[in-house]
Amino acid sequence: IDVNEALVRKVADLARLALRDDEVKLYTEQMKKTLGYVDSLTKVDVTGVAPMYHPQENVETPMREDTVN
């Protein structure tokens, strides 16, 4: 994805955020760094690693009885 000021302005518009020009420049750089980091995760070899559906496996969620009041 090409992160530029136009993209940041579009995202801000969709989120109904009013940004000043200095904020657009700041958020453009931050978005570039964030998406760059996420892209670097695609290069990690996860061969043989089972997918996790929850970060803490084998945790039982306490359940309560359903009651009608």
Side-chain angles (χ1 to χ4, degrees):
I1 246 178
D2 181 31
V3 177
N4 53 37
E5 289 185 12
L7 176 64
V8 171
R9 289 182 192 281
K10 176 68 175 174
V11 171
D13 184 52
L14 291 171
R16 293 185 167 92
L17 298 174
L19 299 179
R20 298 183 314 263
D21 289 342
D22 62 319
E23 291 174 317
V24 170
K25 289 180 182 185
L26 173 68
Y27 297 146
T28 299
E29 290 306 311
Q30 289 178 349
M31 189 180 285
K32 282 181 186 178
K33 289 178 183 177
T34 302
L35 293 179
Y37 174 72
V38 171
D39 185 52
S40 72
L41 294 177
T42 64
K43 296 171 180 67
V44 175
D45 181 18
V46 293
T47 305
V49 178
M52 293 179 64
Y53 301 102
H54 191 280
Q56 298 176 349
E57 293 185 18
N58 301 324
V59 175
E60 290 189 30
T61 304
M63 303 294 272
R64 63 174 173 77
E65 293 286 328
D66 286 336
T67 59
V68 179
N69 293 327

